[in-house]
Amino acid sequence: MTTIYSARKIITMNPARPVASHVAVRDGRILGAGTLEELSRWGEHTLDERFADKVLMPGLVEGHAHTMEGVFWRYVYCGFFDRTDPDGKTWQGATSVDAVLERLRTAEKMLDNADAPLTGFQLDPIYFDNRKISRADLDKVSSTRPIGVVHASCHIMNVNSKALELAGLLRPGINHPGVPLGDDGLPTGELKGPDVMTPASVHVGFDRDMLACDERGLLDFGKLCVRAGVTTVTDLAARLSDDAVDTMLKVTEAKDYPARVVPLRFFQGLTAKDLIDNAVALKKRSTDRLRLGMVKLVADGSIQGFSARMRFPGYFNGAPNGLWYIPPEQLLETYERALDADIHVHTHTNGDEATQLAIELLETALRKHPSPDHRYTLQHCQLADAAQFRRMAKLGMCVNLFANHHFYWGDEHYNLTVGPERAERMNACRTALANGLPMGIHSDAPITPLGPFFTAWCAVNRLTASGRVQGEYEKISVEDALYAITLGAAYTLKLDGEIGSIEAGKRADIAVLEDDPTEIGAMKLKDVGVWGTMQGGRIFEATAVAS
Amino acid sequence: MALSLTIIGGYLGAGKTTLVNHMLRHANGRRLAVLVNEFGQLPIDEDLIEAQGDDIISIAGGCVCCSYGNDLTLALMDMAALDPPPDHVVLEASGVALPGAIAASVSLLQGYALDGIITLCNAETVMEQAADTYIADTIQRQIEDADLIVLNKSDLVETGRLVEIKEHLRRASGRAQVISAQHGALPLEILLHSFDDREAAVPTPTAQHNHGFRTLSFSIPTPVDARALARDLADPTFALIRAKGFVDDISGTKKAIQVVARRWDVSPSSNATPTAIVVIARAEDIDEDAIRALISTHRTMIANGADSPHDSEIAPKQ
């Protein structure tokens, strides 16, 4: 059963025939891209002209996201920027503290159970001139039910008095850097850091494991993918218990699940040996739409949380160096075991010292376990300098840079965390590419919204939220950005032979667009309209996937 | 009643797991609960294990070992809800964790009282680690956070070198006692507070030698200022590793005193407890007469209605 689709234009990402008018699909795979005359020679076929006025390009690949975004949309959206939920409703940004409170109040009125918690997400007081939200503010929404609103970073939460009381934290004498106190000696309701959030988060509606995703969350996440033109998406820090894997298999196997999910097994709580043994076992359970067997390590914390490991000259505001999340010896052992067992590893590094450690240890491991095409990838890697990129390229590594960070927190980095010079070289896409490093760019959804065209726009324009261009030199071309959100990301997942371009033999994964991203102009790249996707030959229209 | 919790910190290879096994082996009827970052490579000696589940190991004598993996706070909250509760919780921190940060998190949780922070150092490698490009500051922070530093594997370096390392650790810490050990083999009363409030038990021997440590017990039949006494017992001149006891406070209530090196704490106690205090120190450090004199001074001051000697000098610990 062959279908030939016509289109206004097909951007193939195959340099040998970069543009085509038709694409032929059979059994969920691509027979070829070319003219109708060329493709008709495959024999009997149906000509489908529904995309005659659309632009097709390879299904987009998001190389660093978390499926828990699907879960978060059950909570109240408190973000500063407009954002679209899985059902296609665009929530306007809440641009003041009052607007946040008003939105929470509206949601509160819709809860029928008097004790039910009220949960919000994506708060970011940076945009309210750092005007802190206090428990008194949230008490005005309700003083009787627990309320918790997690910040965009997912590392800070604001709660009301009731939630503090349930957590046992509404008392004097608390002495903890993550729990600021008010003039009355009691916590203000801001809880900084996962350890501090947990006693309250279990009372305000968050799951015990914030990274976890359930069946409904995974379904909702799939809808977000369709809306963003994404056909392959990573879940970059999954615990992957047997139950979680069963759920993921069940959900993704459904005939109408629209995305290929690539969950990476999170390292925490496992020895290097158990982690790799686990990944080897998981790999065997892989299906087309659930690719198991990769591993995610975390070397350090975050730059804006001052927990990233920095080399000289350290933090711009003089904060002490950050934290290691894994002992170097364990990182090395994990690399060695993983190389030996042919397990693919992605490592989170934010600060340049963490990046340096990962590079050095991987080099050591590679000397013992030479692996010509390992593609071990550093995720975020936000502060890497040119020398580090050069060395990574020589070692056969890849990078996935956090282009969106620039827009959301670039001003903060410029003024506070790393200062002007290093802020301008954060997420240095041009330097990475110039040194031959295979590169993806990412959203880290739900930290920032899933939307590769927006991510590409960030890498191309390097604008901060205040409208400054930060790092003119590190801008990349639209073409390079489109490569990064397709073949570039696919390469980091070792999937570039299957996806990332529209050419004979590949999966029929296609983003169906209203606009031509190569023509719309660099400044409008984020506004490319997405009609929907084709995933494995199945067609998903964004407006139709709403429940 | 709050669960006593001891944090065991220290870098990889310092012997934390060996120490934990030693504790379980010498728990002597006390029900220890151990929290480890991860299972694997036998966190618990096989002969101690009664049953093993996904994230809990049952150990003979009512002890348990749980792995906390990604969320320490959740594991602690679950452990506080155990029924029956353990007698003492021992938390083995991960190799790069800062025990002080863990202590701060524990302080937020209901149902826990911090007994102290023990940081283990590997005598063979600690100096190298303290100079390492990547982990030197982590090692330093682990040392600074400690109440008690156990310099483990001390048999693997020669005596002169050991003295130098101890001196380095003392300087780096500024406040902790440094004890050397082999295979973590230290008496449990050094490592954990050794009495159980509920049973009001003060061990009977007045002097006892054990692994080069000495335990002394002093009866305190008349009232003292409990906070002032606790503070004085924590003074480095006495070189005490631990002190614990029950006294009649000037407030007219009975108080429990607890000292771990320079950390001290005074809390309310039930009235049935006998008034006495037990101190532990290295045998060569302990000065029985000086401690007796201190206690006597404190008793006399109260008997004479005087204020305690340095009442305004140091703010009491919260």
Side-chain angles (χ1 to χ4, degrees), chain B residues 41-246:
Chain B
Q41 290 156 359
L42 287 184
I44 301 299
D45 292 344
E46 229 167 328
D47 64 305
L48 293 171
I49 296 176
E50 230 165 37
Q52 176 158 7
D54 267 353
D55 52 10
I56 192 159
I57 297 176
S58 302
I59 296 153
C63 300
V64 295
C65 178
C66 309
S67 66
Y68 57 79
N70 54 300
D71 200 324
L72 177 60
T73 307
L74 271 182
L76 283 167
M77 289 162 73
D78 289 347
M79 188 154 277
L82 276 185
D83 184 27
D87 293 323
H88 199 109
V89 178
V90 174
L91 194 167
E92 182 188 331
S94 88
V96 282
L98 305 182
I102 295 177
S105 297
V106 169
S107 77
L108 297 178
L109 297 176
Q110 292 163 306
Y112 283 98
L114 183 67
D115 182 48
I117 296 172
I118 302 173
T119 295
L120 268 74
C121 296
N122 179 340
E124 271 197 311
T125 55
V126 68
M127 297 308 285
E128 200 181 311
Q129 288 161 351
D132 184 89
T133 312
Y134 292 109
I135 59 161
D137 62 322
T138 303
I139 299 290
Q140 172 62 25
R141 284 149 95 173
Q142 290 177 345
I143 289 168
E144 283 169 12
D145 287 349
D147 297 307
L148 213 60
I149 296 171
V150 174
L151 183 57
N152 211 4
K153 311 192 182 184
S154 61
D155 50 327
L156 300 182
V157 295
E158 46 122 356
T159 321
R161 180 68 180 147
L162 197 63
V163 172
E164 283 171 26
I165 298 170
K166 277 181 149 177
E167 189 44 40
H168 166 82
L169 292 175
R170 263 188 217 106
R171 265 201 317 271
S173 154
R175 67 182 190 99
Q177 291 268 12
V178 184
I179 306 169
S180 28
Q182 300 162 19
H183 309 292
L186 290 166
L188 232 59
E189 56 267 35
I190 296 287
L191 301 168
L192 312 177
H193 81 79
S194 43
F195 317 108
D196 187 346
D197 247 346
R198 282 163 300 176
E199 292 166 23
V202 171
T204 39
T206 50
Q208 170 185 323
H209 295 267
N210 190 353
H211 289 80
F213 296 97
R214 195 160 172 224
T215 305
L216 294 172
S217 173
F218 302 91
S219 164
I220 309 181
T222 62
V224 291
D225 178 341
R227 299 180 73 83
L229 177 61
R231 185 195 62 213
D232 287 351
L233 286 169
D235 190 285
T237 54
F238 290 105
L240 297 185
I241 294 166
R242 283 182 178 272
K244 175 144 184 178
F246 306 99

Side-chain angles (χ1 to χ4, degrees), chain A residues 303 306 308-319 321 350-353 381-386 388-389 405-406 409-429 462 468 470-471 474:
Chain A
I303 298 166
F306 300 100
R309 291 292 307 193
M310 306 281 280
R311 295 187 299 186
F312 182 83
Y315 286 106
F316 196 45
N317 71 347
N321 208 347
N350 256 320
D352 53 355
E353 190 185 40
C381 197
Q382 295 201 76
L383 272 174
D385 65 12
Q388 290 179 324
F389 284 133
H405 217 270
H406 232 75
W409 293 289
D411 294 314
E412 194 85 346
H413 292 311
Y414 190 91
N415 294 318
L416 193 65
T417 64
V418 299
E421 183 174 341
R422 286 176 299 167
E424 285 175 2
R425 76 140 201 257
M426 279 180 80
N427 298 296
C429 294
R462 290 185 71 89
R468 281 187 309 111
Q470 188 160 290
E474 294 295 350

Side-chain angles (χ1 to χ4, degrees), chain A residues 7-146:
Chain A
R8 168 152 64 106
K9 180 179 182 184
I10 300 174
I11 301 163
T12 66
M13 303 304 286
N14 169 12
R17 41 172 72 194
V19 174
S21 60
H22 291 75
V23 55
V25 174
R26 183 192 290 169
D27 298 332
R29 314 267 296 264
I30 290 168
L31 288 177
T35 62
L36 181 60
E37 191 276 324
E38 286 173 320
L39 297 172
S40 297
R41 299 193 209 175
W42 281 102
E44 194 184 330
H45 65 267
T46 311
L47 178 64
D48 189 326
E49 301 204 287
R50 75 175 91 185
F51 299 141
D53 65 341
K54 308 293 182 210
V55 174
L56 307 185
M57 72 175 281
L60 307 182
V61 182
E62 172 51 87
H64 190 148
H66 302 274
T67 54
M68 66 174 172
E69 162 121 27
V71 175
F72 272 23
W73 279 104
R74 278 168 237 174
Y75 311 141
V76 184
Y77 179 64
C78 298
F80 182 82
F81 300 93
D82 296 355
R83 190 146 161 176
T84 304
D85 74 12
D87 290 331
K89 174 174 175 178
T90 298
W91 292 77
Q92 278 203 330
T95 54
S96 67
V97 174
D98 286 340
V100 169
L101 297 178
E102 188 49 42
R103 181 160 296 175
L104 288 167
R105 219 172 275 126
T106 306
E108 202 267 345
K109 289 196 185 99
M110 288 161 72
L111 294 172
D112 30 13
N113 179 346
D115 298 323
L118 180 64
T119 317
F121 74 111
Q122 208 64 22
L123 184 68
D124 206 338
I126 286 178
Y127 301 113
F128 309 144
D129 290 329
N130 274 318
R131 142 93 153 92
K132 302 276 186 195
I133 290 180
S134 68
R135 65 189 163 89
D137 290 324
L138 294 176
D139 287 349
K140 282 184 237 156
V141 176
S142 172
S143 58
T144 53
R145 71 170 81 245

Side-chain angles (χ1 to χ4, degrees), chain A residues 242-374:
Chain A
D242 287 344
D243 285 351
V245 172
D246 291 344
T247 302
M248 288 181 132
L249 283 169
K250 182 182 155 216
V251 171
T252 56
E253 270 166 12
K255 282 193 171 56
D256 57 351
Y257 195 74
R260 177 180 297 101
V261 181
V262 186
L264 274 65
R265 177 66 169 93
F266 196 48
F267 79 108
Q268 253 181 358
L270 293 177
T271 61
K273 180 178 187 306
D274 288 350
L275 176 68
I276 301 307
D277 288 352
N278 186 237
V280 168
L282 282 167
K283 206 174 187 175
K284 300 192 179 102
R285 301 189 68 188
S286 276
T287 63
D288 172 31
R289 287 208 285 279
L290 190 71
R291 300 300 177 96
L292 296 158
M294 288 173 61
V295 157
K296 165 81 175 292
L297 307 176
V298 176
D300 67 342
S302 75
I303 298 166
Q304 73 271 35
F306 300 100
S307 51
R309 291 292 307 193
M310 306 281 280
R311 295 187 299 186
F312 182 83
Y315 286 106
F316 196 45
N317 71 347
N321 208 347
L323 303 172
W324 293 112
Y325 286 16
I326 186 171
E329 288 84 345
Q330 191 182 346
L331 187 57
L332 176 62
E333 187 191 344
T334 309
Y335 283 157
E336 288 192 4
R337 287 182 182 276
L339 288 169
D340 197 42
D342 194 22
I343 290 296
H344 194 26
V345 178
H346 283 209
T347 307
H348 156 129
T349 66
N350 256 320
D352 53 355
E353 190 185 40
T355 296
Q356 188 67 21
L357 178 71
I359 293 170
E360 286 179 8
L361 294 182
L362 183 57
E363 182 168 346
T364 305
L366 281 167
R367 286 184 201 285
K368 269 169 94 172
H369 305 270
S371 308
D373 191 23
H374 58 83

Side-chain angles (χ1 to χ4, degrees), chain A residues 481-494:
Chain A
L482 294 179
Y483 188 90
I485 59 176
T486 52
L487 275 170
Y491 186 88
T492 69
L493 302 171
K494 295 193 168 177

